[in-house]
Amino acid sequence: MFADQDLPIIFAGLMALSIIVYAILDGYDLGVGILLPLENDKQADQMIASIGPFWDANETWLVLAVGLMLIAFPSAHSVILKALYIPTAFMLIGLILRGVAFDFRAKVAQVNKHRWNQVFKLGSVITSCSQGYMLGSFVMGFESSLTAYLFASLSALGVTCAYALIGSGWLILKTTEDLQLKAIEWAKFSGKISFVGILAVCVVNPLINQFVFERWTTAPFAYFVVIIPFACFTLLFVGHLVLKQLPLKNDSGCWLPFMIIVVVYLFCFCGLAFSFYPYVVPGQLTIWQAASAPESLRFILYGALVVIPCILAYTVFSYRVFWGKVEDLRYY
Amino acid sequence: MDDVFLLSRLQFAANISFHILFPSITIALGWFLFYFKLRFNLSHHPVWMRIYRFWVKIFALSFAIGVVTGITMSFQFGTNWPGYMERVGNIAGPLLGYEVLTAFFLEATFLGIMLFGIHRVPSWLHTLATLLVAIGTTLSAFWIIALNSWMQTPTGFEMRDGVAHAIDWWSIIFNPSFPYRLSHVLLASGLTAAFLIAGISAYRIIRGDNKKAPRLALKTAIYAASFLIPLQIFVGDLHGLNTLEHQPQKVAAMEGVWETKQGVPLLLFAIPDEKNRTNHFEIAIPKVTSMILTHDPNGEVQGLNDFIGEHPPVAPVFYSFRIMIGVGVLMLAIAWFSSYKLLRNKHLTNTHLYALIAMTFSGWLATLAGWYVTEIGRQPYLVSGILKTSEAVTDIAPENVVFSFTLYILVYLVLMVAYLHTLFLMARKAVQIEEIQPEELIKLNPSSTSQPREGI
């Protein structure tokens, strides 16, 4: 049913899908963690309640993305993770801290609750920074030079800020009153920095990365390269205008910032994907070189084609169940 | 290289030992929760809802720790054991992939509804969510044990240029040791959860909880344990015979048999000495090991000396095996004795309750010991006969592994303290809660089981 040489493309597509779904979904809940106000326990509770039913499933997209890489491109998996050994360890520690803090904070005495809030925030920041750093080193082809470290650090800040942005978009959608007003301010602020961040990547990346430079200046990718940053900047600008009007009467339009940010995410991700396709490790391994045996890919693909629609269906169902503004977080 | 090898092994051992504790609770606790919810649906008695509510919190906490510590392992295949994926990735990859696709998303999504959705969905849907979470955790065990069993007894593949290629997925998944190992692990989880429920409930009673909930939970757990433990001993025996057939060197290490001989005695205690290839201070019952393994008192058992250089380190396997068996026997004794008293409606004395509290984490001990028997028992191979553990390790600088290993150990220590502290704190909090709570009154009135959804 699927030709051998098509399988790597299909799996690269599936992997790309799970990475972008992860970036959006866990992005907003990491963002909520980054923004968590330590001085206001009530708002912290509301914010965490808004991501309560979702964070676990959101994180599973990361496991799927890594799993797909492990399944489809095992040699890339080891090259990438060996090169990123320390940032990966940091990210995992961040994820552990976050995940457990989420549950511990709800079950301990008030004094300790505050401490777990700190852990939650810290874990979210560590996770976002290390993911950003990993993305930066990936883009730089895992070079070890000062430029590469600087770029990766810049990327760490950029991704953290992008997560804060989508997190505030989520909060505008899910909350009301004071917290919503706060979220609008957060969104304005992180929106501006994201604007600068995307601009910086667009300028710096082709300058320091020969491969990207060539890719961006030859057709057909050059067309995309013109469209994508332009679309991002327009969207961020429109988003800023929308934020200035919010909140509207009856809270209409509260979903607009989140949707705009999602579209910006999609554009940025496509920009990255276009820059590197068909390499899974920039300049080293293409998806065909890194792919595992066709019979294994086919075995998992048939299952994935049945199961992924089911996953999407019950994910949508779960979002419908928890549709609307957030209520108090209550465990049963 | 040797440093990286040792450190990577220690790190993976620490990770998996810590990780396995939590799934070993949640796999079966999911089914216990489903049972509690069903009893509530059938009887509408609020006590079942109270038991559900108390245990679902512990489930959520254990589940969260299980998830995040599990993620670290999927990364370590790449960071520390690249040779594993390079050699057997064609087999391991899809099995891990199916675990993520069929189990992880299912349990994670419906856990959200199970924990936070009780007022937002109809009662039947909440029950269904509980069931799906239990199915999810069990499916997850299915796939990971399939992979682990394949590593122990690989079938259904061929080697091409040093890389394993799948030929027959059915025989890869249902490899010879899989049915036994899966049953053994699922029953172990049942016992772990049962003794946890019994122990924490006993603790609540000791702390002066006179409500019905802890007593009923205790009773349920004890009956479950009494039913599961003989089953586990039976399955464990079958598993041992299966191991004898496919991995005789592991059984030889478990029993501390050096020379191949007939009428092998059962060693109750000994100190294996690998250097001199003998045991010290043996306390033995004649011919029993032959009896157990071959069903013939004079049956022949292969010894470790037939497998020099190819058998696991003897002492850890030998001791772990005895710890597992010892805990199992203790479980049997206390479960049956408790059942006997409960069936005759006798009061459990304080001493008896303290004994149950002492057994709270007996499942953890037995699970870990059993896991060490089977995993250390596979050494020096990572995949029996195909890939030695030392061939799979990474070539990164040892400092990196020292760094990550230290970080993990610190985090795990803090987590373990916090987990135990919180568990008993929740039990003490439950002691003070009033018998009837307003939410229950809402739940008892069928017309208001689901509240209207709020607008967008």
Side-chain angles (χ1 to χ4, degrees), chain A residues 52-53 55-57 59-64 66 70-71 74 77-78 81-82 85-86 88-93 95-97 99-100 102-104 107-109 112 116 292-293 295-296 299-300 302-304 307-308 311 314-315 317-318 320-325 327 329-332, chain B residues 11 53 56-57 60-61 63-65 68 71-72 75 78-80 82 85-86 90 93-94 96-98 101 104-106 108-113 115-116 118-121 125 165-166 169 394-396 400-401 403-404 407-408 411 415 418-419 422 425-426 429 439 453-456:
Chain A
W55 74 271
D56 199 345
E59 221 168 272
T60 310
W61 290 95
L62 176 69
V63 184
L64 181 63
V66 174
L70 194 76
I71 297 159
H77 185 261
S78 42
L81 290 183
K82 257 156 71 179
Y85 190 90
I86 296 292
T88 305
F90 271 112
M91 180 189 78
L92 294 172
I93 295 290
L95 286 173
I96 291 177
L97 292 179
V100 300
F102 183 90
D103 264 280
F104 276 124
K107 295 175 178 68
V108 292
N112 290 329
W116 284 113
S292 42
E295 67 270 14
S296 297
F299 175 64
I300 189 82
Y302 294 141
V307 179
I308 288 182
I311 293 173
Y314 61 64
T315 304
F317 172 74
S318 152
R320 271 188 57 90
V321 166
F322 296 101
W323 199 253
K325 297 292 177 182
E327 294 170 353
L329 184 66
R330 284 192 296 189
Y331 276 93
Y332 287 98
Chain B
Q11 177 172 291
R53 263 203 334 244
V56 85
K57 285 183 215 157
L61 184 63
F63 188 85
I65 303 182
V68 291
I71 294 178
T72 62
F75 278 89
T79 54
N80 294 72
M85 290 312 288
E86 280 156 23
N90 288 329
L96 289 169
Y98 270 106
L101 286 172
F104 286 176
F105 280 107
L106 190 73
T109 307
F110 286 98
L111 181 71
I113 295 175
L115 289 176
F116 306 109
I118 202 166
H119 287 313
R120 285 183 168 246
V121 295
L125 196 55
H165 284 255
W169 284 104
T394 180
D395 53 3
I396 56 163
N400 285 337
V401 190
F403 176 78
S404 57
L407 219 54
Y408 286 131
V411 170
L415 281 188
Y419 179 77
T422 307
L425 180 82
M426 282 160 70
K429 264 189 187 170
E439 295 94 329
R453 284 207 189 114
E454 293 191 8
I456 297 165

Side-chain angles (χ1 to χ4, degrees), chain B residues 40-224:
Chain B
F40 173 73
N41 289 351
L42 293 174
S43 66
H44 286 283
H45 197 300
V47 69
W48 289 108
M49 201 58 204
R50 277 196 291 274
I51 298 175
Y52 182 92
R53 263 203 334 244
F54 178 76
W55 284 99
V56 85
K57 285 183 215 157
I58 292 175
F59 180 88
L61 184 63
S62 316
F63 188 85
I65 303 182
V67 168
V68 291
T69 54
I71 294 178
T72 62
M73 289 196 305
S74 67
F75 278 89
Q76 271 183 47
F77 292 136
T79 54
N80 294 72
W81 305 101
Y84 176 71
M85 290 312 288
E86 280 156 23
R87 293 278 279 277
V88 299
N90 288 329
I91 313 281
L95 297 182
L96 289 169
Y98 270 106
E99 184 181 11
V100 180
L101 286 172
T102 61
F104 286 176
F105 280 107
L106 190 73
E107 50 189 8
T109 307
F110 286 98
L111 181 71
I113 295 175
M114 177 173 153
L115 289 176
F116 306 109
I118 202 166
H119 287 313
R120 285 183 168 246
V121 295
S123 179
W124 66 267
L125 196 55
H126 182 259
T127 311
L128 181 67
T130 309
L131 173 66
L132 287 172
V133 170
I135 291 176
T137 54
T138 310
L139 269 179
S140 162
F142 175 91
W143 290 109
I144 203 69
I145 295 300
L147 174 56
N148 182 272
S149 301
W150 184 83
M151 289 161 65
Q152 305 271 356
T153 53
T155 47
F157 70 102
E158 63 180 20
M159 298 300 283
R160 292 179 217 150
D161 305 324
V163 174
H165 284 255
I167 305 175
D168 177 0
W169 284 104
W170 183 265
S171 76
I172 287 171
I173 297 170
F174 294 94
N175 60 76
S177 64
F178 172 68
Y180 302 98
R181 184 170 285 104
L182 180 67
S183 327
H184 202 45
V185 165
L186 292 179
L187 287 167
S189 173
L191 288 165
T192 304
F195 277 93
L196 179 75
I197 296 175
I200 297 285
S201 303
Y203 178 73
R204 280 174 62 174
I205 298 168
I206 285 283
R207 297 291 292 216
D209 198 333
N210 289 318
K211 298 194 285 286
K212 204 175 169 188
R215 283 164 209 284
L216 200 53
L218 181 106
K219 211 182 208 177
T220 311
I222 290 293
Y223 289 160

